[in-house]
Amino acid sequence: MTSETTSAPNFIRNQISEEIEAGRQGKIVTRFPPEPNGFLHIGHAKSICLNFGLAEQFGGDCHLRFDDTNPAKEEQAYIDAIKEDVSWLGYEWAGDVRFASDYFETLYEWAQHLIREGKAYVDDLSPEEMREYRGTLTEAGTPSPYRERSVEENLNLLERMRVGEFAEGEKVLRAKIDMAAPNINLRDPILYRIRHASHHQTGDTWKIYPSYDFTHGQSDALEGVTHSVCTLEFEDHRPLYEWFLDNLPVPAKPRQIEFARLNLNYTLTSKRKLKLLVDENIVDGWDDPRLPTLSGMRRRGYTPASIRKFCEMIGVTRADGGLVDIAMLYHAIRSDLEDNAPRAMCVLKPLKVVLTNVAEDFAETYRVAGHPAREDMGVREIPFGREIYIDRDDFMEEPPKKFFRLAPGKEVRLRNSYVIRCDEVIKDEAGEVSELRCSVDFDTLGKNPEGRKVKGVIHWVSAAQAVPMEVRLYDNLFTVEQPDKDKDADFLEHLNPESLTVVQAMGEPSLADAAPESRFQFERVGYFCADRHACRDGTLVFNRTVGLKDGWAKAQKKG
Ligand code: ATP
Ligand code: MG
């Protein structure tokens, strides 16, 4: 890897390190707890790298646990995709994949336990009434008229809720804590809701499902999680998390620690909004390379190492509000591919050039390093002949002063080959340049022409052996830094109509059998990845991962 300091502050790592040094902490256990209601995105990567990273650094375990309490929105397909993404990032969960639904029976017993202790009751208020009774930030709530039901009645009603005797919304089970608590989460929070839905793990066993709050901490406790790391929006839930641990016969007492979530500019990190883009066919599925999903980033050409490096660079703090510059993510992948991607020449906008002083049957081949600094990447063979393609952008009929590429009467070097001069410009009926006639200076292979300065070097491919391919060029999916900043506006208004451009390109022969997901630097152009779907079917399609210019590194240097 291109070396540079990558450590950013990580207060959770520091804290655990201190606990261990002081002898206050044995083996640590963390967990990554996704809800299987969508694909993972770059925000989740921050949480994955943090949780799995901590376990790795301190010789502990990290569990993968699906927080599957909402059957209506969850699917097996999401479970499979999430497992694949976590593995792809390079992490191994300890033991089997776990599910909160594995604990439904225990949670139910614990609900009965709370009822027996006089700490939970079945409520018949409608959702609207419940909202009214809850009070506000400045006013205490009002106790529900059902709050004083007897233990027997509550146990009986809960059992009947469980087997489906009541309709959805007719009753809920609530904790009996404090309707005047300043923290609204403690005003008799809901423990169970009635849902007549089939669950991907438990089938039709349950007609009631536990709430997130009643599930999460207890699942942590059952698994022996020591540090329950979550994002800041759960800070206000911590007193409730602790209330359950204090009032239930749990086998362990995990600690909840909150950190600031990742927000990236030009990027949406909300599963719900990403799902909308997918469902409305605005993008090409969950792994569209324009999406910040891990599977989209994978298809685009990101490496697991680059994502892990990015997560290390952004650090972990409690301070919220910051918007991370996506240029930093581009920097992370660029520096990985700079060191690890083989080079190739590919012309994105082919313009035919006939080299008039090269014979029809002239053929030679250059042996060129696969990577300038990596002998292990071997050599590739680049054929040369009378007809070649160069990029349209490397030619200008009326060039400005500092244009050092090809122009009428001007010279340029073909990378790894000769210096050529443009003698003639041929146009089609519409007046578009359709071909160039150039001549080769045969004295210039591997050396500079005597007495003449040729500043420009351009890439090219030999027309006879060039491989045609589709190249997909991606730009940000949104035109503004925070597409969902205004909660009342439609984030779709900020979609970038030019987020995808498809071109028919010509590549050097070494690209002909690029394996799906293999990555290259197309010299002078950028980094590209063979599409994992198309290339499997034998069609050559490359996705642009990122361009060559590193805006982030440049900004760092300027300070
Ligand atoms: P979304 O808002 O995209 O639906 P979520 O929090 O509802 O995300 P979960 O599946 O519950 O999705 O998330 C699993 C874990 O990932 C949680 O611990 C959550 O805090 C964390 N996480 C989600 N988004 C981010 C983010 N942007 N930055 C850091 N961690 C995140
Ligand atoms: Mg969540």
Side-chain angles (χ1 to χ4, degrees):
M1 279 237 143
T2 315
S3 64
E4 68 206 30
T5 29
T6 56
S7 338
N10 180 333
F11 78 99
I12 301 180
R13 182 155 70 202
N14 296 346
Q15 181 183 321
I16 295 178
S17 175
E18 280 164 27
E19 289 164 8
I20 290 175
E21 269 169 38
R24 277 182 281 127
Q25 178 65 57
K27 178 173 161 175
I28 68 156
V29 180
T30 57
R31 86 285 172 266
F32 173 63
E35 188 182 346
N37 59 353
F39 279 50
L40 298 180
H41 54 63
I42 185 70
H44 295 113
K46 177 175 181 179
S47 175
I48 295 171
C49 292
L50 176 57
N51 280 294
F52 283 90
L54 290 169
E56 228 166 59
Q57 284 141 28
F58 297 108
D61 283 341
C62 181
H63 299 175
L64 173 61
R65 179 176 75 232
F66 287 99
D67 232 330
D68 55 346
T69 56
N70 186 357
K73 295 201 166 156
E74 299 166 5
E75 272 177 35
Q76 185 61 40
Y78 295 141
I79 293 175
D80 298 340
I82 289 171
K83 281 159 61 180
E84 188 177 341
D85 286 345
V86 172
S87 300
W88 177 74
L89 263 190
Y91 294 110
E92 264 178 59
W93 47 89
D96 291 337
V97 170
R98 294 151 213 257
F99 294 87
S101 55
D102 294 343
Y103 315 127
F104 279 177
E105 201 58 55
T106 305
L107 291 172
Y108 185 78
E109 283 162 25
W110 284 352
Q112 291 174 316
H113 174 89
L114 288 180
I115 291 177
R116 284 192 204 98
E117 300 272 306
K119 291 174 183 164
Y121 61 97
V122 172
D123 197 352
D124 296 3
L125 291 182
S126 69
E128 299 74 49
E129 288 168 323
M130 227 178 284
R131 211 168 300 128
E132 278 162 31
Y133 277 72
R134 193 165 53 215
T136 63
L137 284 174
T138 49
E139 280 168 63
T142 315
S144 160
Y146 304 97
R147 202 171 194 259
E148 301 308 328
R149 276 176 163 151
S150 70
V151 169
E152 287 65 38
E153 189 184 3
N154 279 318
L155 286 174
N156 173 271
L157 287 173
L158 181 63
E159 185 55 34
R160 290 165 58 199
M161 282 165 64
R162 170 185 181 147
V163 297
E165 274 189 38
F166 304 108
E168 291 193 4
E170 211 180 320
K171 292 183 182 342
V172 292
L173 182 73
R174 300 177 72 174
K176 193 195 267 189
I177 306 181
D178 180 2
M179 285 306 290
N183 182 334
I184 292 185
N185 290 303
L186 294 176
R187 293 186 190 170
D188 292 9
I190 291 176
L191 308 183
Y192 273 94
R193 289 185 179 83
I194 298 173
R195 282 231 163 90
H196 293 255
S198 200
H199 187 280
H200 49 95
Q201 302 300 312
T202 58
D204 295 319
T205 314
W206 296 89
K207 304 294 178 212
I208 53 174
Y209 288 92
S211 61
Y212 169 86
D213 284 317
F214 190 60
T215 310
H216 198 82
Q218 287 85 300
S219 303
D220 286 341
L222 285 164
E223 292 181 4
V225 167
T226 54
H227 298 78
S228 179
V229 176
C230 63
T231 34
L232 276 174
E233 66 268 26
F234 293 103
E235 188 176 13
D236 290 346
H237 294 241
R238 185 167 8 114
L240 181 56
Y241 183 99
E242 289 170 354
W243 188 89
F244 289 127
L245 298 182
D246 289 340
N247 287 279
L248 290 170
V250 290
K253 292 216 175 167
R255 264 174 304 150
Q256 176 177 307
I257 308 171
E258 308 89 16
F259 69 97
R261 62 191 290 121
L262 167 66
N263 294 309
L264 255 192
N265 60 4
Y266 301 102
T267 307
L268 281 181
T269 44
S270 148
K271 269 186 283 184
R272 189 175 58 78
K273 289 174 188 150
L274 296 177
K275 185 171 187 307
L276 185 105
L277 294 172
V278 174
D279 290 346
E280 301 287 321
N281 291 316
I282 292 166
V283 294
D284 173 25
W286 280 100
D287 71 347
D288 185 300
R290 290 167 292 180
L291 290 182
T293 52
L294 293 182
S295 54
M297 293 173 74
R298 173 180 182 174
R299 194 167 165 203
R300 170 113 167 222
Y302 280 85
T303 57
S306 67
I307 296 175
R308 291 200 306 264
K309 175 178 169 177
F310 169 73
C311 290
E312 186 61 36
M313 285 169 79
I314 58 178
V316 178
T317 67
R318 276 186 63 87
D320 202 3
L323 200 55
V324 173
D325 190 347
I326 191 149
M328 202 182 200
L329 181 61
Y330 294 153
H331 169 80
I333 181 60
R334 196 180 282 117
S335 61
D336 182 352
L337 296 179
E338 157 81 21
D339 293 352
N340 297 308
R343 288 4 185 196
M345 290 199 285
C346 177
V347 173
L348 295 191
K349 290 189 227 159
L351 173 61
K352 193 180 211 178
V353 175
V354 177
L355 302 168
T356 50
N357 60 339
V358 173
E360 297 266 0
D361 59 353
F362 183 91
E364 62 184 13
T365 303
Y366 312 120
R367 289 171 58 78
V368 175
H371 186 288
R374 293 272 303 267
E375 265 179 41
D376 59 312
M377 289 191 183
V379 291
R380 52 193 226 267
E381 302 204 324
I382 297 181
F384 172 83
R386 178 178 161 88
E387 295 193 351
I388 63 172
Y389 292 113
I390 67 165
D391 199 288
R392 280 186 178 273
D393 290 346
D394 285 332
F395 171 79
M396 276 184 98
E397 219 178 349
E398 290 163 36
K401 218 160 186 220
K402 296 231 156 149
F403 188 80
F404 298 119
R405 290 165 277 164
L406 204 55
K410 294 276 167 47
E411 289 183 316
V412 78
R413 174 175 291 279
L414 299 178
R415 187 160 169 75
N416 302 309
S417 179
Y418 303 99
V419 168
I420 61 170
R421 188 187 60 229
C422 178
D423 305 318
E424 195 185 339
V425 179
I426 295 174
K427 295 184 178 176
D428 61 16
E429 285 153 17
E432 290 278 332
V433 176
S434 58
E435 189 180 305
L436 301 177
R437 298 279 161 124
C438 299
S439 48
V440 167
D441 180 344
F442 283 100
D443 244 0
T444 55
L445 189 61
K447 59 177 181 194
N448 285 323
E450 237 161 78
R452 307 197 304 278
K453 269 194 193 151
V454 179
K455 276 201 180 169
V457 181
I458 63 173
H459 62 289
W460 56 280
V461 292
S462 169
Q465 297 90 347
V467 285
M469 59 175 73
E470 177 178 316
V471 175
R472 299 176 184 162
L473 306 168
Y474 301 103
D475 196 357
N476 293 334
L477 192 50
F478 295 97
T479 53
V480 296
E481 289 202 73
Q482 287 177 279
D484 55 354
K485 187 178 181 190
D486 181 354
K487 302 289 166 220
D488 301 321
D490 184 1
F491 67 91
L492 296 178
E493 280 173 20
H494 303 299
L495 276 171
N496 176 7
E498 278 153 31
S499 60
L500 170 62
T501 310
V502 179
V503 298
Q504 299 303 321
M506 288 290 186
E508 67 171 61
S510 74
L511 293 170
D513 32 42
E517 283 191 85
S518 53
R519 305 173 181 89
F520 296 87
Q521 184 197 84
F522 290 173
E523 291 176 291
R524 298 188 61 237
V525 183
Y527 294 98
F528 292 77
C529 178
D531 189 77
R532 53 191 298 232
H533 305 313
C535 291
R536 187 157 297 126
D537 303 338
T539 330
L540 264 191
V541 174
F542 279 87
N543 298 310
R544 180 169 66 191
T545 313
V546 69
L548 288 177
K549 275 206 199 103
D550 195 331
W552 189 77
K554 211 169 156 192
Q556 297 305 298
K557 276 203 195 104
K558 273 197 201 144

